[in-house]
Amino acid sequence: MARLIYTKRAQSDIERLADFLADVDPHAALATFDLIAEAMLILRNHPLIGRQVESGLRELVISRGRSGYVALYSYEEREDVALVLAIRHQRESGYASAS
């Protein structure tokens, strides 16, 4: 089982997504947080599950209804670590810049 580490940016992304939903639908915010947490457990058990993107990075698609979320991560095989770099909604045009 891989160790899972979130960067500050990824933690910030989760807060940003939850805050957005909390304003619109608090129940959806909690369900989304649970959905992302469940996907991260799958990632721990299967760190190569995500599709390959540029520079050795991977993306894990987290489906929710007609859309969902995408987690950008790297898997450091030698250390058996999945480093979650960023998380965004699928309808966002890219990963939010680090604040």
Side-chain angles (χ1 to χ4, degrees), residues 16-17 59 68-70 86-92 94-95:
R16 176 180 57 83
L17 294 166
E59 286 185 327
Y69 301 88
V70 181
I87 300 174
R88 67 174 174 84
H89 191 275
Q90 286 179 342
R91 292 185 182 163
E92 289 181 87
Y95 294 97

Side-chain angles (χ1 to χ4, degrees), residues 53-98:
V53 293
E54 77 279 346
S55 305
L57 299 178
R58 303 181 86 80
E59 286 185 327
L60 177 65
V61 176
I62 306 166
S63 296
R64 186 171 202 302
R66 291 184 170 171
S67 64
Y69 301 88
V70 181
L72 180 68
Y73 72 98
S74 68
Y75 176 57
E76 308 302 326
E77 191 170 356
R78 182 174 258 201
E79 294 85 16
D80 197 24
V81 169
L83 179 63
V84 182
L85 303 168
I87 300 174
R88 67 174 174 84
H89 191 275
Q90 286 179 342
R91 292 185 182 163
E92 289 181 87
S93 62
Y95 294 97
S97 61

